[in-house]
Amino acid sequence: MGLKLSKEDFDACLAQLSADYDIYAPVRMAGGNPFSDTDCIRYGKIESIEEVIFEEKSNYSYKEVLLPLSETLFYFTENQVKEADGKEKGGIIFLRSCDLHAVKRMDDIYLENGFEDYYYKRLREKVKFVLMGCKESFENCFCVSMNTNACSDYDLAVEPAEDGYLLDCKADAWQDIFAATGEPTAYEPSCVKENSVKVSIPDSLTAEVAKSEMWREYDGRCVNCGRCNFACPTCTCFTMQDIFYTDNGKAGERRRVQASCMVDGFTDVAGGGCYRSKNGDRMRFKVLHKVLDYKQRFGYHMCVGCGRCDDICPEYISFSGIVNKLAQAVTEVETDE
Ligand code: SF4
Ligand code: SF4
């Protein structure tokens, strides 16, 4: 059984929750889009449910909260190190089904891949998720193909309705807050049943497809800007950055900053070597990581089909289009052998 709340009652519930949580959701940032004179939808703190953008896809994902672009890990002086303080409050993150599936990918990488990342874990343990139901597919989404269009693993689900909001609360600790305020009503979170974009990943896909000529197209088309990685909710690579407060380099802070496998420098090694200098080779690595080798390790595909990489690419390169070329490439490679 779900609940229906007026906007005022929902905001009163958020006000109660804000005593213990910072609440993040996709919000409109005027003029913030990389394409000129357009707004950007990205994650920010909210106080009212009216600030949440339900009717458009966010350009960036929940990753902005769980894995910030730049995060100070510790401070150092000549003979002392002090760990950076964690957030005092917990976090509540509004997100869509595909992104909630992406959280599982991030958890597996940061908590189940042979080590537990201390900084990720201390934040992750304090985070709860609010599912935003999707009534219809957005441009470039292919969540149905990736089986991420529906999700039941949420603390709260919500979507706008006439004269208020429909919701389903699963978090025991929040029952008193929402059930005491809402009017019982039938509600199941909406989920997309069909996307206009569909992808098909060949069952016979192996690393042999790396030999295909298809990757050469991207040597010239891709400009290795890395936008696709930063917009992707499942890209989790980072690098380290030391900021020095003094000229002698003995006091400062170490930050973890997001990294991109598409940009120059990512595969540089000592002695001046570079494992993937051609942009097409970087594309091959990224695509096969998303739809081949991650699955070999974890049993399911990394890509969740959110389509943000296609939305944001300045060269109009389509990730779903590349995935749909793999079947032909597999056949060509098999024929050549
Ligand atoms: S690869 Fe593209 S479609 Fe897949 S999860 Fe990342 S941004 Fe979304
Ligand atoms: S695929 Fe597009 S967004 Fe990604 S690095 Fe290349 S040009 Fe940039």
Side-chain angles (χ1 to χ4, degrees), residues 101-102 106 115 118 123 232 238-239 241:
H101 282 270
M106 199 171 275
F115 74 104
Y118 170 81
L123 181 60
C232 177
F238 63 82
T239 186
Q241 188 178 53

Side-chain angles (χ1 to χ4, degrees), residues 50-105:
E50 275 190 325
E51 294 172 72
V52 183
I53 302 296
F54 282 94
E55 66 279 8
E56 291 175 56
K57 185 191 334 182
S58 63
N59 301 90
Y60 297 92
S61 74
Y62 74 91
K63 189 169 82 170
E64 293 199 88
V65 181
L66 222 43
L67 192 68
L69 267 174
S70 174
E71 177 184 16
T72 301
L73 303 185
F74 57 83
Y75 302 89
F76 57 86
T77 59
E78 199 165 351
N79 48 21
Q80 278 188 319
V81 173
K82 183 195 174 296
E83 179 188 318
D85 293 335
K87 286 185 184 295
E88 274 182 26
K89 286 185 181 179
I92 294 175
I93 302 177
F94 282 62
L95 77 185
R96 298 182 187 279
S97 173
C98 59
D99 282 346
L100 198 38
H101 282 270
V103 173
K104 174 171 169 49
R105 278 84 178 144

Side-chain angles (χ1 to χ4, degrees), residues 137-142 144 192 194-199:
S137 178
F138 296 106
E139 190 178 6
N140 292 327
C141 294
F142 51 98
V144 177
V192 168
E194 188 173 14
N195 310 115
S196 58
V197 177
K198 298 173 175 59
V199 301

Side-chain angles (χ1 to χ4, degrees), residues 156-175:
L156 185 77
V158 64
E159 60 196 89
E162 214 175 304
D163 304 330
Y165 293 86
L166 292 171
L167 62 95
D168 177 36
C169 181
K170 288 191 176 180
D172 291 340
W174 295 353
Q175 292 298 338

Side-chain angles (χ1 to χ4, degrees), residues 222-228 262 283 286 313-315 317:
C222 172
V223 294
N224 59 281
C225 65
R227 277 182 176 187
C228 48
M262 300 301 289
M283 185 67 79
K286 180 185 76 175
C313 177
E315 301 299 313
I317 293 169

